[in-house]
């Protein structure tokens, strides 16, 4: 794509390549996702090391900042596929920058370490590579993304030079700037070139639905691998007793149930809903469903993994409040995000999943007062009952037997 792609006549980038063209996710994009998911691995390490509300808040803000730029790359490669050497090299540079950010995560909030500055500089490189690639589809309009994204990266870098409330405030400022960026993208070019915001939304919504849905689904399935790794880390050098094997089976069942929750009932319906949405509305739907709703889902996997790590080492014992909350809270976060996702995509029902959230949170009492095994059983039973109730609802004769 050339800068002319941003002209008023160019309103649907996907249409320019052919409306019926299938754009599969490339192996380079999957490679990129594998590197990005390492950030989740590092976040799990941070959570497991210090199971406190302060850590939970900082991890949430940190991942919100990172996931914003991941989403920006997912949108980018949907419109600028890495099918040329120059684009592939830039993608590899972007991957390297994300890896720098991930490596610095364990000490990013340590005032005695330079990890915060390293993270910020790596993040600036992430933004820079994205901005250069983005010119291939939107030309000079990239400034409305590049400037606020760079300001967010500078705020994060500045946080690395500070400590305490000032550092935390700069992280929050970065998130606020990122949340305002879509407004700049919609209305900034209109003021400069005279195009209407609706024209810009059509251009921004010129996405390949199949590619966009598949890309985020692959990210989610790779992130589930973190929960499997957590099982292995949690077992460690423990003897292979029936209790340990039971805990492993229950932990894997939870991960499997969460996989079922999204991939059996959500992904296919989401692709149809996304494709049926008019381009001028698709841009905002992508933001709502695949950023705002996906964010708690992915964070939930990280918190769940941290809870599993702690629980498996004390399977027959009472859990401390931190591990019990991380275990239940991770599942509840995932379900809450999925409820938001289904609501945005108009996939029904949502009531069973919404109702399961407080029930899952109540299993904290089982972990604290009974045992880790009891809490794992409670979470598994809740998820199985939820999925069974949905399956029964979906095949009721009055609903025409349509599975949603």
């Amino acid at each position: 794509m050339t800068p002319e792609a941003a002209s008023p006549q160019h309103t649907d980038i996907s249409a320019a390549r052919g409306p019926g063209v299938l754009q599969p996710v490339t192996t380079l994009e999957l490679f990129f996702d594998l590197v990005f998911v390492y950030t989740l691995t590092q976040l799990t390490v941070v959570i497991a090391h210090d199971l406190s509300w302060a850590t939970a808040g900082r991890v949430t803000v940190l991942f919100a900042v990172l996931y914003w730029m991941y989403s920006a790359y997912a949108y980018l490669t949907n419109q600028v596929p890495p099918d040329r050497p120059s684009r592939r090299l830039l993608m590899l540079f972007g991957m390297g920058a994300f890896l720098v950010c991930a490596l610095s995560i364990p000490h990013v909030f340590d005032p005695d370490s330079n990890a915060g500055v390293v993270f910020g500089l790596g993040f600036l490189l992430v933004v820079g590579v994205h901005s250069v690639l983005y010119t291939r589809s939107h030309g000079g309009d990239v400034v409305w993304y590049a400037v606020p994204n760079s300001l967010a990266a500078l705020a994060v870098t500045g946080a690395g030079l500070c400590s305490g409330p000032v550092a935390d405030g700069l992280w929050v400022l970065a998130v606020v700037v990122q949340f305002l960026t879509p407004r700049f993208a919609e209305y900034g070019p209109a003021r400069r070139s005279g195009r209407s915001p609706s024209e810009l939304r059509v251009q921004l919504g010129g996405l390949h639905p199949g590619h966009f849905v598949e890309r985020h689904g692959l990210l989610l399935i790779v992130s589930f691998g973190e929960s499997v790794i957590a099982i292995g880390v949690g077992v460690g050098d423990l003897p292979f007793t029936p209790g340990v094997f039971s805990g492993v089976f229950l932990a894997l069942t939870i991960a499997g149930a969460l996989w079922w929750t999204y991939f059996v009932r959500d992904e296919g319906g989401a692709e149809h809903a996304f494709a049926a949405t008019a381009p001028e509305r698709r841009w905002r739907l992508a933001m709502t469903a695949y950023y705002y709703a996906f964010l708690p889902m992915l964070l939930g996997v990280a918190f769940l993994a941290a809870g599993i790590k702690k629980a498996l080492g004390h399977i027959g014992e009472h859990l401390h409040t931190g591990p019990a909350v991380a275990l239940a809270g991770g599942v509840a976060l995932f379900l809450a995000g999925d409820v938001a996702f289904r609501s945005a995509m108009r996939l029904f029902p949502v009531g069973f999943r919404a109702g399961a959230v407080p029930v899952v949170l109540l299993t904290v009492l089982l972990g604290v007062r009974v045992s880790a095994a009891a809490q794992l059983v409670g979470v598994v039973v809740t998820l199985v009952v939820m999925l069974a109730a949905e399956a029964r609802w979906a095949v009721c004769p009055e609903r025409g037997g349509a599975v949603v």
Side-chain angles (χ1 to χ4, degrees), residues 119-339:
F119 181 98
L121 294 176
F123 197 66
L124 272 170
L125 183 56
V126 167
V127 171
V129 172
H130 174 267
S131 300
V132 171
L133 279 169
Y134 201 73
T135 61
R136 309 299 175 88
S137 64
H138 288 74
D141 287 347
V142 71
V143 68
W144 300 102
Y145 266 105
V147 171
N149 285 340
S150 298
L151 290 174
L154 288 172
V156 169
T157 307
L161 298 171
C162 306
S163 61
V166 175
D168 292 338
L170 287 170
W171 276 97
V172 173
L173 176 62
V175 174
V176 171
V177 171
Q178 289 176 337
F179 276 27
L180 292 174
T181 300
R183 293 292 181 183
F184 299 145
E186 284 188 22
Y187 296 102
R191 292 179 179 275
R192 184 175 67 89
S193 64
R195 283 173 285 169
S196 70
S198 60
E199 282 183 303
L200 288 166
R201 283 193 288 271
V202 170
Q203 180 181 343
L204 291 167
L207 297 164
H208 284 271
H211 175 275
F212 202 73
V213 173
E214 182 187 6
R215 179 73 189 276
H216 287 84
L218 287 171
L219 173 66
L220 186 58
I221 196 65
V222 172
S223 72
F224 280 140
E226 174 57 31
S227 60
V228 176
I229 293 171
I231 293 173
V233 174
V235 171
D237 296 326
L238 293 174
F240 295 120
T241 62
V244 170
F245 276 117
S246 297
V248 167
F249 176 79
L250 289 168
L252 186 59
T253 302
I254 292 172
L258 295 182
W259 168 86
W260 194 295
T261 299
Y262 178 80
F263 287 99
V264 172
R265 299 193 179 278
D266 286 11
E267 190 176 43
E271 183 172 346
H272 289 298
F274 204 52
T277 301
E280 62 267 22
R281 294 180 55 245
R282 195 179 293 160
W283 155 247
R284 290 188 175 178
L285 180 60
M287 286 292 303
T288 302
Y290 288 102
Y291 180 72
Y292 298 120
F294 244 62
L295 181 62
M297 292 170 69
L298 291 165
L299 264 176
V301 174
F303 280 102
L304 171 63
I308 287 174
K309 281 183 180 180
K310 295 292 187 179
L312 290 181
H314 308 277
I315 196 66
E317 306 169 13
H318 296 270
L319 284 176
H320 292 295
T321 303
V325 171
L327 179 57
V331 176
L333 262 179
F334 184 94
L335 293 178
D338 190 60
V339 167

